[in-house]
Amino acid sequence: MQQVRKLERYKDDQGNEIVYAGEVREEKIDIRFKGSNNTLVIAPDADIKDLLVIFTGDNGHIEIERTTKRRAGLRFELRCGHESKIRVGENVGCAGRTFLSAVEGVSVTIGADVMFAKNIEVRADDTHPIYDVRSQKRANPSKSIVVGEHVWIAKHAVVMGGVTIGNGSVIGFRSIVTSSVPNNCIAVGAPARVVRRNIAWERPEVVSRRPGEQHPRPGEKSEQYWNLTDDDAAADAPVVRSKPTSQRAVARYLPASVRRAARKYRSAKK
């Protein structure tokens, strides 16, 4: 096993790689490679506060996008197995360490602007296999998870394999999500059930506000996420912005010296 205790650009003779061109970080960084040809891609401006990454197999891929807005920071324990993928979109925030697990070739996708509270698990697998005694077939195969954009997941919630959560929804305190949730809904319970539709939520806290104060305040409303619930739409296909493929977007992951040289080259050509 290869263990890295700094967040910086890295590559070993097993083909494991960290693609990162930001400021070197040493506090609360623990990255472990137990296999080969695994890749961890982190945007230079991702606000990493606490990161434990364990690649348990070969050909795993993890990507963490940038933080451009004020958020609680990124606090993750990430487990990635053989041929599996984890993607965290931009401007995600975690009040406490959030556990994401993808193994057996499945994926976990977290959309942009998701808000995680404390002690949350998003697990595409159950860690241990369960079998049907009569058929001897596996009863709990790993299944991919998609959490859409601008989703709020409250304290101690768990999202299980095969689940999708639509954009703008809220998952309640200590809920266990075992089936898909449409957009702009509140789902609570164990197992979680939708208890309210056609809702929207905003990040600014109410704890310091006066009784009867206007909500939301001017400028607080995130218009793109104020939508009616569409129960007829496929809950397993929430909008999740994919990584930009433009040359400018790719350049964000290059070392600063390479970016400076490229800018000088472009200026000389003008």
Side-chain angles (χ1 to χ4, degrees), residues 8-265:
E8 60 184 352
R9 194 168 186 88
Y10 167 88
K11 191 166 186 178
D12 62 31
D13 57 6
Q14 299 298 313
N16 298 306
E17 186 174 10
I18 300 173
V19 181
Y20 175 70
E23 179 183 352
V24 176
R25 301 170 189 255
E26 298 185 50
E27 186 176 358
K28 295 184 178 181
I29 300 294
D30 187 352
I31 302 167
R32 307 173 192 178
F33 296 100
K34 295 184 177 181
S36 60
N37 299 316
N38 297 293
T39 306
L40 172 62
V41 181
I42 300 181
D45 46 0
D47 187 15
I48 303 294
K49 300 293 188 184
D50 183 0
L51 185 63
L52 169 60
V53 177
I54 303 175
F55 286 98
T56 63
D58 304 328
N59 303 308
H61 184 89
I62 297 175
E63 182 176 332
I64 300 175
E65 283 288 339
R66 62 185 181 171
T67 309
T68 62
K69 298 180 180 180
R70 185 176 179 181
R71 295 292 183 260
L74 295 166
R75 298 170 173 86
F76 282 117
E77 177 181 347
L78 306 177
R79 181 173 66 189
C80 188
H82 288 288
E83 311 286 343
S84 301
K85 296 181 180 180
I86 296 174
R87 177 180 177 270
V88 178
E90 63 183 33
N91 295 316
V92 171
C94 310
R97 184 185 276 188
T98 295
F99 177 65
L100 308 182
S101 179
V103 302
E104 296 187 308
V106 304
S107 64
V108 170
T109 303
I110 308 299
D113 201 44
V114 167
M115 185 168 72
F116 289 112
K118 297 179 179 180
N119 302 321
I120 291 168
E121 296 192 14
V122 181
R123 46 166 61 242
D125 60 275
D126 295 333
T127 303
H128 304 284
I130 300 173
Y131 301 96
D132 181 279
V133 173
R134 291 187 177 88
S135 67
Q136 300 188 38
K137 292 183 178 179
R138 177 86 172 273
N140 64 337
S142 299
K143 297 180 181 179
S144 295
I145 295 172
V146 177
V147 177
E149 297 187 0
H150 192 66
V151 171
W152 171 11
I153 302 183
K155 287 183 180 179
H156 308 294
V158 180
V159 180
M160 302 301 292
V163 162
T164 62
I165 301 174
N167 299 347
S169 286
V170 177
I171 305 302
F173 181 77
R174 289 185 175 172
S175 294
I176 301 178
V177 187
T178 59
S179 59
S180 295
V181 175
N183 67 291
N184 295 88
C185 288
I186 299 174
V188 300
R193 295 287 183 265
V194 173
V195 296
R196 186 159 182 173
R197 292 170 166 78
N198 305 318
I199 63 94
W201 67 273
E202 299 294 349
R203 286 179 177 269
E205 296 181 348
V206 301
V207 294
S208 62
R209 300 197 177 184
R210 300 180 184 279
E213 186 175 341
Q214 177 185 355
H215 292 270
R217 289 172 175 169
E220 287 182 350
K221 189 175 181 181
S222 49
E223 296 279 356
Q224 70 270 37
Y225 299 118
W226 283 60
N227 301 301
L228 297 177
T229 300
D230 187 353
D231 288 302
D232 296 326
D236 58 353
V239 176
V240 176
R241 285 173 281 186
S242 60
K243 175 184 171 182
T245 55
S246 67
Q247 290 182 346
R248 179 174 295 180
V250 172
R252 289 194 285 119
Y253 299 98
L254 298 175
S257 58
V258 175
R259 297 199 303 270
R260 287 195 296 269
R263 286 196 295 268
K264 289 181 180 179
Y265 175 75

